Amino acid sequence: HTTTQIINGVLKLASGSSGNWVSIPKTASSNISKCYLIANGETLTGATFQVSGDNGVNYQSINNKETINLTNTGTSLIIKVTFSNADTQIDSLSILFK
């Protein structure tokens, strides 16, 4: 967390108008080649999402409810959320991967 917090199951800024949250790595048994992101919450336009298949060495932008082909393939998936609006709250966040 960088100026973010999770309270009552909601990811949001702790203070200020910007910050980011990075997930713990999820290890797959083979290289991850595709991702699909699903985010639910309030004022999601104030959040940008990035994914990494190589344990956070390189990130690639992904939009909500979008499938992308990863160019930074690997077996360790990380999601990064950057907040740019104090009203943005994320109630649930999931990523499907292949």
Coordinates of all heavy atoms in Angstrom, one line a residue:
H1 N 0.8 -1.2 0.0 CA 0.0 0.0 0.0 C 0.9 1.2 0.0 O 1.8 1.3 0.8 CB -0.9 0.1 1.3 CG -1.9 -1.0 1.3 ND1 -3.1 -0.9 0.7 CD2 -2.0 -2.2 2.0 CE1 -3.9 -1.9 0.9 NE2 -3.2 -2.7 1.7
T2 N 0.5 2.2 -0.9 CA 1.1 3.5 -0.8 C -0.1 4.5 -0.7 O -0.7 4.7 -1.7 CB 2.0 3.8 -2.1 OG1 3.0 2.8 -2.2 CG2 2.6 5.2 -2.0
T3 N -0.3 5.0 0.4 CA -1.5 5.8 0.8 C -2.8 5.2 0.4 O -3.8 5.9 0.1 CB -1.4 7.3 0.2 OG1 -1.4 7.2 -1.2 CG2 -0.2 8.0 0.7
T4 N -2.9 3.9 0.5 CA -4.2 3.2 0.3 C -4.5 2.3 1.5 O -3.5 2.1 2.3 CB -4.2 2.3 -1.0 OG1 -3.2 1.3 -0.8 CG2 -4.0 3.1 -2.2
Q5 N -5.7 1.9 1.6 CA -6.1 1.0 2.8 C -7.3 0.1 2.4 O -8.0 0.5 1.4 CB -6.5 1.9 4.0 CG -7.7 2.8 3.7 CD -7.9 3.8 4.8 OE1 -7.3 3.6 5.9 NE2 -8.8 4.7 4.6
I6 N -7.5 -0.9 3.1 CA -8.6 -1.8 2.9 C -9.4 -1.7 4.3 O -8.9 -2.1 5.3 CB -8.3 -3.2 2.6 CG1 -7.5 -3.3 1.3 CG2 -9.5 -4.1 2.5 CD1 -7.0 -4.6 0.9
I7 N -10.6 -1.1 4.2 CA -11.5 -1.0 5.4 C -12.8 -1.6 5.0 O -13.4 -1.2 4.0 CB -11.6 0.4 5.8 CG1 -10.3 0.9 6.3 CG2 -12.7 0.6 6.9 CD1 -10.3 2.3 6.9
N8 N -13.3 -2.5 5.8 CA -14.6 -3.2 5.6 C -14.6 -3.8 4.2 O -15.7 -3.8 3.5 CB -15.8 -2.2 5.8 CG -15.8 -1.8 7.3 OD1 -15.5 -2.5 8.2 ND2 -16.3 -0.5 7.4
G9 N -13.5 -4.4 3.8 CA -13.5 -5.0 2.5 C -13.4 -4.1 1.3 O -13.5 -4.6 0.1
V10 N -13.2 -2.8 1.5 CA -13.1 -1.8 0.4 C -11.7 -1.3 0.3 O -11.2 -0.8 1.2 CB -14.2 -0.7 0.6 CG1 -14.0 0.4 -0.5 CG2 -15.6 -1.3 0.7
L11 N -11.2 -1.3 -0.9 CA -9.9 -0.7 -1.2 C -10.1 0.7 -1.6 O -10.8 1.0 -2.6 CB -9.1 -1.5 -2.3 CG -7.8 -1.0 -2.8 CD1 -6.8 -1.0 -1.7 CD2 -7.3 -1.8 -4.0
K12 N -9.4 1.6 -0.9 CA -9.5 3.0 -1.3 C -8.3 3.8 -0.8 O -7.4 3.2 -0.1 CB -10.8 3.6 -0.6 CG -10.9 3.5 0.9 CD -12.2 4.0 1.4 CE -12.3 3.8 2.9 NZ -13.6 4.3 3.4
L13 N -8.3 5.1 -1.1 CA -7.2 5.9 -0.6 C -7.3 6.1 0.9 O -8.4 6.3 1.4 CB -7.2 7.3 -1.3 CG -6.7 7.3 -2.7 CD1 -7.0 8.6 -3.4 CD2 -5.2 6.9 -2.8
A14 N -6.2 6.1 1.6 CA -6.2 6.4 3.0 C -6.2 7.9 3.3 O -6.8 8.4 4.2 CB -4.9 5.8 3.7
S15 N -5.5 8.7 2.4 CA -5.5 10.1 2.4 C -5.0 10.7 1.1 O -4.5 9.9 0.3 CB -4.5 10.6 3.5 OG -3.2 10.1 3.2
G16 N -5.2 11.9 0.9 CA -4.8 12.6 -0.4 C -5.6 12.2 -1.6 O -6.7 11.7 -1.4
S17 N -5.1 12.4 -2.7 CA -5.8 12.2 -4.0 C -5.1 11.2 -4.9 O -5.5 11.0 -6.1 CB -6.0 13.5 -4.7 OG -4.8 14.1 -5.0
S18 N -4.0 10.6 -4.4 CA -3.4 9.6 -5.3 C -2.7 8.6 -4.4 O -2.3 8.8 -3.3 CB -2.4 10.2 -6.2 OG -1.3 10.8 -5.5
G19 N -2.5 7.4 -5.0 CA -1.8 6.3 -4.3 C -1.9 5.0 -5.1 O -2.5 5.0 -6.2
N20 N -1.3 4.0 -4.6 CA -1.4 2.7 -5.4 C -1.3 1.5 -4.4 O -0.9 1.6 -3.3 CB -0.3 2.6 -6.5 CG 1.1 2.6 -5.9 OD1 1.5 1.7 -5.1 ND2 1.9 3.5 -6.3
W21 N -1.8 0.4 -5.0 CA -1.8 -0.9 -4.2 C -1.3 -1.9 -5.2 O -1.6 -1.9 -6.4 CB -3.3 -1.2 -3.8 CG -3.5 -2.6 -3.3 CD1 -3.2 -3.0 -2.0 CD2 -3.9 -3.7 -4.0 NE1 -3.5 -4.3 -1.9 CE2 -3.9 -4.8 -3.1 CE3 -4.2 -4.0 -5.3 CZ2 -4.3 -6.1 -3.4 CZ3 -4.6 -5.3 -5.7 CH2 -4.6 -6.3 -4.7
V22 N -0.5 -2.8 -4.7 CA 0.1 -3.9 -5.5 C -0.2 -5.2 -4.8 O 0.0 -5.3 -3.6 CB 1.6 -3.7 -5.6 CG1 2.2 -4.9 -6.4 CG2 1.9 -2.4 -6.3
S23 N -0.8 -6.2 -5.5 CA -1.1 -7.5 -5.0 C 0.1 -8.3 -4.6 O 1.2 -8.0 -5.1 CB -2.0 -8.2 -6.0 OG -1.2 -8.7 -7.1
I24 N -0.1 -9.3 -3.8 CA 1.0 -10.3 -3.7 C 1.0 -11.2 -4.9 O 0.0 -11.3 -5.6 CB 0.7 -11.2 -2.4 CG1 -0.6 -11.9 -2.5 CG2 0.8 -10.3 -1.1 CD1 -0.8 -12.9 -1.4
P25 N 2.1 -11.8 -5.3 CA 2.2 -12.6 -6.5 C 1.3 -13.8 -6.4 O 1.2 -14.5 -5.3 CB 3.7 -12.9 -6.6 CG 4.4 -12.0 -5.7 CD 3.4 -11.6 -4.6
K26 N 0.7 -14.2 -7.5 CA 0.0 -15.5 -7.7 C 0.9 -16.3 -8.6 O 1.1 -15.9 -9.8 CB -1.4 -15.2 -8.2 CG -2.1 -16.5 -8.7 CD -2.4 -17.4 -7.5 CE -3.3 -18.6 -8.0 NZ -3.4 -19.6 -7.0
T27 N 1.3 -17.5 -8.2 CA 2.2 -18.3 -9.0 C 1.3 -19.3 -9.8 O 0.5 -20.0 -9.3 CB 3.2 -19.0 -8.1 OG1 3.9 -18.1 -7.4 CG2 4.1 -19.9 -9.0
A28 N 1.6 -19.4 -11.1 CA 1.0 -20.3 -12.0 C 1.9 -21.4 -12.4 O 3.2 -21.3 -12.2 CB 0.5 -19.6 -13.3
S29 N 1.4 -22.5 -12.8 CA 2.2 -23.7 -13.2 C 2.9 -23.6 -14.5 O 3.9 -24.3 -14.8 CB 1.4 -25.0 -13.1 OG 0.3 -24.9 -14.0
S30 N 2.4 -22.6 -15.4 CA 3.1 -22.4 -16.6 C 3.0 -20.9 -17.0 O 2.3 -20.1 -16.2 CB 2.4 -23.2 -17.8 OG 1.0 -22.9 -17.9
N31 N 3.6 -20.4 -18.0 CA 3.6 -19.0 -18.4 C 2.2 -18.5 -18.6 O 1.4 -19.2 -19.2 CB 4.5 -18.8 -19.6 CG 5.9 -18.7 -19.3 OD1 6.4 -18.6 -18.2 ND2 6.7 -18.6 -20.4
I32 N 2.0 -17.3 -18.0 CA 0.7 -16.7 -18.2 C 0.7 -15.9 -19.5 O 1.5 -15.0 -19.7 CB 0.4 -15.8 -17.0 CG1 0.4 -16.6 -15.7 CG2 -0.9 -15.0 -17.1 CD1 0.6 -15.8 -14.4
S33 N -0.3 -16.1 -20.3 CA -0.3 -15.5 -21.6 C -1.5 -14.5 -21.8 O -1.4 -13.6 -22.7 CB -0.3 -16.5 -22.8 OG -1.5 -17.3 -22.7
K34 N -2.6 -14.7 -21.1 CA -3.8 -13.8 -21.2 C -4.3 -13.5 -19.9 O -4.2 -14.3 -19.0 CB -4.9 -14.5 -22.1 CG -4.6 -14.7 -23.5 CD -5.8 -15.2 -24.2 CE -5.4 -15.4 -25.7 NZ -6.5 -15.3 -26.6
C35 N -4.9 -12.3 -19.8 CA -5.6 -11.8 -18.5 C -6.9 -11.2 -18.9 O -7.0 -10.5 -19.9 CB -4.7 -10.8 -17.8 SG -3.2 -11.6 -17.1
Y36 N -7.9 -11.3 -18.0 CA -9.1 -10.6 -18.0 C -9.4 -10.0 -16.7 O -9.4 -10.8 -15.7 CB -10.2 -11.6 -18.4 CG -11.6 -11.0 -18.5 CD1 -12.0 -10.2 -19.6 CD2 -12.6 -11.2 -17.5 CE1 -13.2 -9.6 -19.7 CE2 -13.8 -10.6 -17.6 CZ -14.2 -9.8 -18.7 OH -15.4 -9.3 -18.8
L37 N -9.7 -8.7 -16.6 CA -9.8 -8.0 -15.3 C -11.3 -7.7 -15.1 O -12.0 -7.2 -16.0 CB -9.0 -6.7 -15.3 CG -9.1 -5.9 -14.1 CD1 -8.2 -6.4 -13.0 CD2 -8.8 -4.4 -14.4
I38 N -11.7 -7.9 -13.8 CA -13.1 -7.5 -13.4 C -13.0 -6.7 -12.1 O -12.5 -7.2 -11.1 CB -14.0 -8.7 -13.2 CG1 -14.1 -9.6 -14.4 CG2 -15.4 -8.2 -12.7 CD1 -14.7 -11.0 -14.1
A39 N -13.4 -5.4 -12.2 CA -13.4 -4.6 -11.0 C -14.8 -4.0 -10.8 O -15.4 -3.6 -11.7 CB -12.4 -3.4 -11.2
N40 N -15.2 -4.0 -9.5 CA -16.5 -3.4 -9.1 C -16.2 -2.4 -8.0 O -15.4 -2.6 -7.1 CB -17.4 -4.5 -8.7 CG -17.9 -5.3 -9.8 OD1 -18.5 -4.9 -10.8 ND2 -17.7 -6.6 -9.7
G41 N -17.0 -1.3 -8.1 CA -16.8 -0.3 -7.0 C -17.5 1.0 -7.4 O -18.4 1.1 -8.2
E42 N -16.9 2.1 -6.8 CA -17.5 3.4 -7.1 C -16.4 4.3 -7.7 O -15.2 4.2 -7.4 CB -17.9 4.1 -5.8 CG -19.1 3.3 -5.1 CD -19.5 4.0 -3.8 OE1 -19.2 5.2 -3.6 OE2 -20.1 3.2 -3.0
T43 N -16.8 5.1 -8.7 CA -15.9 6.1 -9.4 C -14.6 5.3 -9.9 O -13.5 5.8 -9.6 CB -15.5 7.2 -8.5 OG1 -16.7 7.7 -7.8 CG2 -15.0 8.4 -9.3
L44 N -14.8 4.2 -10.6 CA -13.7 3.5 -11.1 C -12.9 4.2 -12.1 O -11.7 3.8 -12.4 CB -14.2 2.1 -11.7 CG -14.7 1.1 -10.7 CD1 -15.2 -0.1 -11.4 CD2 -13.7 0.8 -9.6
T45 N -13.4 5.3 -12.7 CA -12.6 6.1 -13.6 C -11.4 6.7 -12.9 O -10.5 7.2 -13.6 CB -13.5 7.2 -14.2 OG1 -14.1 8.0 -13.2 CG2 -14.6 6.7 -15.1
G46 N -11.4 6.7 -11.6 CA -10.2 7.3 -10.9 C -9.2 6.2 -10.6 O -8.3 6.4 -9.8
A47 N -9.3 5.0 -11.2 CA -8.3 4.0 -11.0 C -7.8 3.5 -12.3 O -8.6 3.4 -13.3 CB -9.0 2.8 -10.2
T48 N -6.5 3.2 -12.4 CA -5.9 2.6 -13.5 C -5.4 1.2 -13.1 O -4.9 1.1 -11.9 CB -4.8 3.4 -14.2 OG1 -3.8 3.7 -13.2 CG2 -5.4 4.7 -14.8
F49 N -5.4 0.2 -14.0 CA -5.0 -1.1 -13.6 C -3.8 -1.6 -14.5 O -3.8 -1.3 -15.7 CB -6.2 -2.1 -13.8 CG -7.4 -1.7 -13.0 CD1 -8.4 -0.9 -13.6 CD2 -7.5 -2.0 -11.7 CE1 -9.5 -0.5 -12.9 CE2 -8.6 -1.7 -10.9 CZ -9.6 -0.9 -11.5
Q50 N -2.9 -2.3 -13.9 CA -1.8 -2.9 -14.6 C -1.6 -4.3 -14.1 O -1.8 -4.6 -13.0 CB -0.5 -2.1 -14.4 CG -0.6 -0.6 -15.0 CD 0.7 0.1 -14.7 OE1 1.0 0.3 -13.5 NE2 1.4 0.5 -15.7
V51 N -1.1 -5.1 -15.0 CA -0.8 -6.5 -14.7 C 0.7 -6.8 -15.1 O 1.2 -6.3 -16.0 CB -1.7 -7.5 -15.3 CG1 -3.1 -7.4 -14.7 CG2 -1.8 -7.4 -16.8
S52 N 1.3 -7.7 -14.4 CA 2.6 -8.2 -14.7 C 2.6 -9.7 -14.6 O 2.1 -10.3 -13.6 CB 3.6 -7.6 -13.7 OG 4.9 -8.2 -13.8
G53 N 3.2 -10.4 -15.6 CA 3.3 -11.8 -15.6 C 4.7 -12.2 -15.1 O 5.0 -13.4 -14.9
D54 N 5.6 -11.2 -14.9 CA 7.0 -11.5 -14.6 C 7.4 -11.0 -13.2 O 8.4 -10.5 -13.0 CB 7.9 -11.0 -15.7 CG 7.8 -9.5 -15.9 OD1 7.1 -8.9 -15.2 OD2 8.4 -9.1 -16.9
N55 N 6.4 -11.2 -12.3 CA 6.7 -10.8 -10.9 C 6.9 -9.3 -10.6 O 7.7 -8.9 -9.8 CB 7.8 -11.7 -10.3 CG 7.7 -11.7 -8.7 OD1 6.7 -11.6 -8.1 ND2 8.9 -11.8 -8.1
G56 N 6.3 -8.4 -11.4 CA 6.5 -7.0 -11.2 C 7.7 -6.3 -11.9 O 7.9 -5.2 -11.7
V57 N 8.4 -7.1 -12.7 CA 9.5 -6.5 -13.4 C 9.0 -5.5 -14.5 O 9.5 -4.4 -14.6 CB 10.4 -7.6 -14.1 CG1 11.5 -6.9 -14.9 CG2 11.0 -8.5 -13.0
N58 N 8.0 -5.9 -15.3 CA 7.3 -5.1 -16.3 C 5.8 -5.2 -16.1 O 5.3 -6.2 -15.7 CB 7.6 -5.7 -17.7 CG 9.1 -5.7 -18.0 OD1 9.7 -4.6 -18.2 ND2 9.7 -6.8 -18.0
Y59 N 5.2 -4.1 -16.3 CA 3.7 -4.0 -16.2 C 3.1 -3.6 -17.5 O 3.7 -3.0 -18.4 CB 3.3 -2.9 -15.1 CG 3.5 -3.4 -13.7 CD1 4.7 -3.1 -13.0 CD2 2.5 -4.1 -13.1 CE1 4.8 -3.6 -11.7 CE2 2.6 -4.5 -11.8 CZ 3.8 -4.3 -11.1 OH 4.0 -4.7 -9.8
Q60 N 1.9 -4.0 -17.7 CA 1.1 -3.8 -18.9 C -0.3 -3.3 -18.5 O -0.9 -3.8 -17.6 CB 1.0 -5.1 -19.7 CG 0.5 -4.9 -21.1 CD 0.6 -6.3 -21.8 OE1 1.5 -7.2 -21.4 NE2 -0.2 -6.5 -22.8
S61 N -0.8 -2.2 -19.1 CA -2.1 -1.7 -18.8 C -3.2 -2.6 -19.2 O -3.1 -3.3 -20.2 CB -2.3 -0.3 -19.5 OG -1.4 0.6 -18.9
I62 N -4.3 -2.6 -18.4 CA -5.5 -3.4 -18.7 C -6.7 -2.6 -18.2 O -6.6 -1.9 -17.2 CB -5.4 -4.8 -18.0 CG1 -6.6 -5.7 -18.5 CG2 -5.3 -4.7 -16.5 CD1 -6.5 -7.1 -18.1
N63 N -7.7 -2.6 -19.0 CA -9.0 -1.9 -18.6 C -9.9 -2.9 -18.0 O -9.8 -4.1 -18.2 CB -9.6 -1.3 -19.8 CG -8.8 -0.2 -20.4 OD1 -8.3 0.7 -19.7 ND2 -8.6 -0.2 -21.7
N64 N -10.9 -2.4 -17.2 CA -11.9 -3.2 -16.6 C -12.7 -4.0 -17.7 O -13.1 -3.4 -18.7 CB -12.9 -2.3 -15.8 CG -13.8 -3.2 -14.9 OD1 -13.5 -4.3 -14.6 ND2 -14.9 -2.6 -14.5
K65 N -12.9 -5.2 -17.5 CA -13.7 -6.1 -18.4 C -13.0 -6.2 -19.8 O -13.7 -6.2 -20.8 CB -15.1 -5.7 -18.5 CG -15.8 -5.8 -17.1 CD -17.3 -5.4 -17.2 CE -17.8 -5.5 -15.8 NZ -19.1 -5.0 -15.6
E66 N -11.7 -6.3 -19.8 CA -10.9 -6.4 -21.0 C -10.0 -7.6 -20.9 O -9.4 -7.9 -19.9 CB -10.1 -5.1 -21.2 CG -9.2 -5.2 -22.4 CD -8.3 -4.0 -22.6 OE1 -7.6 -3.5 -21.5 OE2 -8.2 -3.5 -23.7
T67 N -9.8 -8.3 -22.1 CA -8.9 -9.3 -22.2 C -7.6 -8.8 -22.9 O -7.8 -8.1 -23.9 CB -9.4 -10.5 -23.0 OG1 -10.6 -11.0 -22.3 CG2 -8.4 -11.6 -23.1
I68 N -6.4 -9.1 -22.4 CA -5.2 -8.7 -23.1 C -4.3 -9.9 -23.2 O -4.4 -10.8 -22.4 CB -4.5 -7.6 -22.3 CG1 -4.0 -8.0 -20.9 CG2 -5.3 -6.3 -22.3 CD1 -3.0 -7.0 -20.3
N69 N -3.4 -9.9 -24.2 CA -2.4 -10.8 -24.3 C -1.2 -10.2 -23.6 O -0.8 -9.1 -23.9 CB -2.0 -11.1 -25.8 CG -3.2 -11.8 -26.5 OD1 -3.7 -12.7 -26.0 ND2 -3.5 -11.3 -27.7
L70 N -0.6 -10.9 -22.7 CA 0.6 -10.4 -22.0 C 1.8 -10.5 -22.9 O 2.1 -11.5 -23.5 CB 0.8 -11.3 -20.7 CG 0.0 -10.9 -19.5 CD1 0.4 -11.8 -18.3 CD2 0.1 -9.5 -19.1
T71 N 2.5 -9.4 -22.8 CA 3.8 -9.4 -23.5 C 5.0 -9.7 -22.5 O 6.1 -10.0 -22.9 CB 4.1 -8.0 -24.2 OG1 4.0 -7.0 -23.2 CG2 3.1 -7.8 -25.3
N72 N 4.6 -9.5 -21.2 CA 5.6 -9.8 -20.2 C 5.3 -11.1 -19.5 O 5.0 -11.1 -18.3 CB 5.6 -8.6 -19.2 CG 4.3 -8.3 -18.6 OD1 3.3 -9.0 -18.9 ND2 4.2 -7.2 -17.8
T73 N 5.4 -12.2 -20.3 CA 5.0 -13.5 -19.8 C 6.0 -14.0 -18.7 O 7.1 -13.6 -18.6 CB 4.9 -14.5 -20.9 OG1 6.2 -14.6 -21.5 CG2 3.9 -14.1 -21.9
G74 N 5.4 -14.8 -17.9 CA 6.1 -15.5 -16.8 C 5.1 -16.3 -16.0 O 3.9 -16.4 -16.4
T75 N 5.5 -16.7 -14.8 CA 4.6 -17.6 -14.0 C 4.2 -16.9 -12.7 O 3.5 -17.5 -11.9 CB 5.3 -18.9 -13.6 OG1 6.5 -18.6 -12.9 CG2 5.6 -19.7 -14.9
S76 N 4.5 -15.6 -12.5 CA 4.1 -14.9 -11.3 C 3.3 -13.6 -11.6 O 3.8 -12.6 -12.1 CB 5.4 -14.5 -10.6 OG 5.1 -13.9 -9.3
L77 N 2.0 -13.7 -11.4 CA 1.1 -12.6 -11.7 C 0.9 -11.7 -10.6 O 0.7 -12.0 -9.4 CB -0.3 -13.3 -12.1 CG -1.4 -12.3 -12.5 CD1 -1.0 -11.7 -13.9 CD2 -2.7 -13.0 -12.6
I78 N 1.0 -10.4 -10.9 CA 0.8 -9.3 -10.0 C -0.2 -8.3 -10.6 O -0.1 -8.0 -11.8 CB 2.1 -8.6 -9.6 CG1 3.0 -9.6 -8.8 CG2 1.9 -7.3 -8.8 CD1 4.3 -9.0 -8.4
I79 N -1.1 -7.7 -9.8 CA -2.0 -6.6 -10.2 C -1.6 -5.4 -9.5 O -1.4 -5.4 -8.3 CB -3.4 -7.0 -9.9 CG1 -3.8 -8.3 -10.5 CG2 -4.4 -5.9 -10.4 CD1 -5.2 -8.8 -9.9
K80 N -1.5 -4.3 -10.2 CA -1.3 -3.0 -9.6 C -2.4 -2.0 -9.9 O -2.8 -1.9 -11.0 CB 0.0 -2.4 -10.2 CG 0.4 -1.0 -9.6 CD 1.8 -0.6 -10.2 CE 2.2 0.7 -9.6 NZ 3.5 1.1 -10.2
V81 N -2.9 -1.3 -8.9 CA -4.0 -0.4 -9.0 C -3.5 1.0 -8.6 O -2.9 1.1 -7.5 CB -5.2 -0.7 -8.1 CG1 -6.3 0.3 -8.3 CG2 -5.7 -2.1 -8.4
T82 N -3.6 2.0 -9.5 CA -3.2 3.3 -9.2 C -4.4 4.2 -9.1 O -5.3 4.2 -10.0 CB -2.2 3.9 -10.3 OG1 -1.1 3.0 -10.4 CG2 -1.8 5.3 -10.0
F83 N -4.5 4.9 -8.0 CA -5.7 5.8 -7.7 C -5.3 7.2 -8.0 O -4.2 7.7 -7.6 CB -6.1 5.7 -6.2 CG -6.7 4.4 -5.8 CD1 -5.9 3.3 -5.5 CD2 -8.0 4.3 -5.7 CE1 -6.4 2.1 -5.1 CE2 -8.6 3.1 -5.3 CZ -7.8 2.0 -5.0
S84 N -6.3 7.9 -8.7 CA -6.1 9.4 -9.0 C -7.3 10.2 -8.5 O -7.4 11.3 -9.0 CB -5.8 9.6 -10.4 OG -6.9 9.1 -11.2
N85 N -8.2 9.6 -7.7 CA -9.4 10.3 -7.3 C -9.8 9.8 -5.9 O -9.8 8.6 -5.7 CB -10.5 9.9 -8.3 CG -11.8 10.7 -8.0 OD1 -12.2 10.9 -6.9 ND2 -12.5 11.1 -9.1
A86 N -10.0 10.7 -5.0 CA -10.3 10.4 -3.6 C -11.6 9.6 -3.5 O -11.8 9.0 -2.5 CB -10.3 11.6 -2.7
D87 N -12.5 9.7 -4.5 CA -13.8 9.1 -4.4 C -13.8 7.7 -4.9 O -14.8 6.9 -4.8 CB -14.8 9.9 -5.2 CG -15.1 11.3 -4.6 OD1 -15.0 11.4 -3.4 OD2 -15.4 12.2 -5.4
T88 N -12.7 7.2 -5.5 CA -12.6 5.9 -6.0 C -12.6 4.8 -4.9 O -11.7 5.0 -4.0 CB -11.4 5.7 -6.9 OG1 -11.5 6.7 -8.0 CG2 -11.3 4.3 -7.5
Q89 N -13.4 3.8 -5.0 CA -13.4 2.7 -4.1 C -13.6 1.4 -4.8 O -14.4 1.3 -5.7 CB -14.6 2.8 -3.1 CG -14.5 4.0 -2.2 CD -15.6 4.1 -1.1 OE1 -16.3 3.1 -0.9 NE2 -15.8 5.2 -0.5
I90 N -12.8 0.4 -4.5 CA -12.9 -0.9 -5.2 C -13.5 -1.9 -4.2 O -12.9 -2.2 -3.2 CB -11.6 -1.3 -5.7 CG1 -11.1 -0.3 -6.8 CG2 -11.7 -2.7 -6.3 CD1 -9.8 -0.6 -7.3
D91 N -14.7 -2.4 -4.5 CA -15.4 -3.4 -3.7 C -14.9 -4.8 -4.0 O -14.8 -5.6 -3.0 CB -16.9 -3.3 -3.9 CG -17.5 -2.0 -3.5 OD1 -17.0 -1.4 -2.5 OD2 -18.4 -1.5 -4.2
S92 N -14.6 -5.1 -5.2 CA -14.1 -6.4 -5.6 C -13.2 -6.3 -6.8 O -13.4 -5.4 -7.7 CB -15.2 -7.4 -5.9 OG -16.0 -7.0 -7.0
L93 N -12.2 -7.1 -6.9 CA -11.2 -7.1 -7.9 C -10.8 -8.5 -8.2 O -10.4 -9.2 -7.3 CB -10.0 -6.2 -7.5 CG -8.9 -6.1 -8.5 CD1 -9.3 -5.3 -9.8 CD2 -7.7 -5.3 -7.9
S94 N -10.9 -8.9 -9.5 CA -10.5 -10.3 -9.8 C -9.8 -10.3 -11.2 O -10.1 -9.4 -12.0 CB -11.6 -11.3 -9.7 OG -12.6 -11.0 -10.7
I95 N -9.0 -11.2 -11.4 CA -8.4 -11.4 -12.7 C -8.4 -12.9 -13.0 O -8.0 -13.7 -12.2 CB -6.9 -10.8 -12.7 CG1 -6.4 -10.7 -14.1 CG2 -6.0 -11.5 -11.8 CD1 -5.5 -9.6 -14.3
L96 N -8.8 -13.1 -14.2 CA -8.8 -14.5 -14.8 C -7.6 -14.5 -15.7 O -7.3 -13.6 -16.4 CB -10.1 -14.8 -15.6 CG -11.4 -14.6 -14.8 CD1 -12.5 -14.7 -15.8 CD2 -11.5 -15.6 -13.7
F97 N -6.9 -15.6 -15.6 CA -5.7 -15.7 -16.5 C -5.5 -17.1 -17.0 O -6.0 -18.1 -16.6 CB -4.4 -15.3 -15.7 CG -4.1 -16.2 -14.5 CD1 -3.3 -17.3 -14.6 CD2 -4.7 -15.9 -13.2 CE1 -3.0 -18.1 -13.5 CE2 -4.4 -16.6 -12.1 CZ -3.6 -17.7 -12.2
K98 N -4.8 -17.1 -18.1 CA -4.5 -18.4 -18.8 C -3.0 -18.5 -19.2 O -2.4 -17.5 -19.5 CB -5.3 -18.4 -20.1 CG -5.1 -19.5 -21.0 CD -6.0 -19.4 -22.2 CE -5.6 -20.5 -23.2 NZ -6.3 -20.4 -24.5

